[in-house]
Amino acid sequence: MGEPVVCTTVAGLREAIAQRVAGGAESLGLLPTMGALHRGHLEIARRTRAENDLAVVSVFVNPLQFGPGEDYESYPRQLEQDVALLAREGVDLVFAPDVREMYPDGTPVVSVTSGAAGSILEGATRPGHFDGALTVVSKLFTIMAPGPGVPFRAYFGEKDAQQLLLMQRMVRDLDHRVEIRPVPIVRSPEGLALSSRNQYLSPEQAGHALVLHRTLSALAAGELTLEQARRRVAAEPDVRLDYLVTVDPANLALVEPAPGTLALVAAWVGPTRLIDNMRI
Ligand code: PAF
């Protein structure tokens, strides 16, 4: 398989997409990422490749979605390694702009707001996070839209359940011509949901982090009440629970655990914030 073409400018990417579409590409799949790719991303990249004529992955650490004191500066950046991994998956184009290319005038004056659904759960602890993520993805959709008659699909992992729901909502509300395709969570053999931030964990912390998956599994199996599940996570050494709730997956409204509801958990393991979820 050939190396992907790496585009660093909006104009260059648009040109590359237009050429491929003119050359007969009949569909475009986009996997938006912030890089530091792991096996979870690569599974989504594989699906993006398999389901589309033209497979594009964006790699951009988006400053708008990081709050003060979060890990924007230290977020792992490893473009060369990411491109090599994507080459193995047969990805055609990598879009890797710098911050000035994406936001030439600095913080955009006009941006997407995530509303009430973006200010609960992750949004309560990370104010502005979803506004930033929606804004950059909205820009990516606009930049990459391949034009009428060419199906455009964007792939998002189910690990970020709230983000996925908000992306679906944005596409509906703003009439982006793109279909969102959710992809199931990929886990380590022990059950830890894969995340670029897992590389911050020491081996001991990675062991403690397994409490998230174990507790979700026990809750989903009806072996624990919600309160018992919260106590179990909170009792794990080096783990600080942010929230463990069950929601209606259609709108994130808090509900009692019941079949079809979605259990969401967020916790700090040492200084690293992790999230996970599971259908009950
Ligand atoms: O999920 C992520 O990695 C980011 O939020 C996304 C969708 C790439 C936007 O920056």
Side-chain angles (χ1 to χ4, degrees), residues 32-34 62 65 133 136-137 156 160 163:
T33 80
M34 297 203 301
N62 173 35
Q65 67 190 79
V136 79
V137 171
F156 289 88
D160 297 290
Q163 168 171 278

Side-chain angles (χ1 to χ4, degrees), residues 8-164:
T8 55
T9 65
V10 171
L13 179 72
R14 282 187 163 147
E15 178 59 29
I17 291 174
Q19 272 176 12
R20 310 279 171 131
V21 169
E26 288 183 358
S27 57
L28 188 156
L30 165 67
L31 164 58
T33 80
M34 297 203 301
L37 303 181
H38 51 68
R39 198 160 52 79
H41 290 116
L42 298 178
E43 280 204 16
I44 311 182
R46 209 163 302 145
R47 200 168 140 197
T48 309
R49 167 70 291 157
E51 295 178 0
N52 299 282
D53 280 354
L54 182 54
V56 185
V57 175
S58 63
V59 176
F60 178 63
V61 185
N62 173 35
L64 293 192
Q65 67 190 79
F66 289 79
E70 288 190 348
D71 54 347
Y72 173 66
E73 297 299 339
S74 59
Y75 198 85
R77 288 161 172 85
Q78 47 190 54
L79 183 61
E80 231 174 89
Q81 185 180 320
D82 289 343
V83 172
L85 291 169
L86 294 171
R88 284 199 234 149
E89 304 304 336
V91 166
D92 300 296
L93 302 174
V94 173
F95 181 45
D98 67 14
V99 175
R100 278 217 307 234
E101 181 66 17
M102 285 303 270
Y103 304 117
D105 303 315
T107 303
V109 172
V110 177
S111 58
V112 180
T113 53
S114 54
S119 56
I120 55 172
L121 302 167
E122 284 306 282
T125 302
R126 307 183 64 194
H129 167 69
F130 289 118
D131 296 357
L134 291 171
T135 298
V136 79
V137 171
S138 178
K139 281 172 69 78
L140 292 172
F141 288 166
T142 307
I143 293 165
M144 294 192 197
V150 181
F152 180 19
R153 302 166 185 131
Y155 294 77
F156 289 88
E158 287 178 350
K159 182 173 78 69
D160 297 290
Q162 192 176 3
Q163 168 171 278
L164 170 61

Side-chain angles (χ1 to χ4, degrees), residues 159-176:
K159 182 173 78 69
D160 297 290
Q162 192 176 3
Q163 168 171 278
L164 170 61
L165 186 104
L166 286 165
M167 292 295 165
Q168 288 166 326
R169 191 71 234 191
M170 175 175 76
V171 165
R172 253 201 335 271
D173 289 350
L174 300 185
D175 293 307
H176 278 294

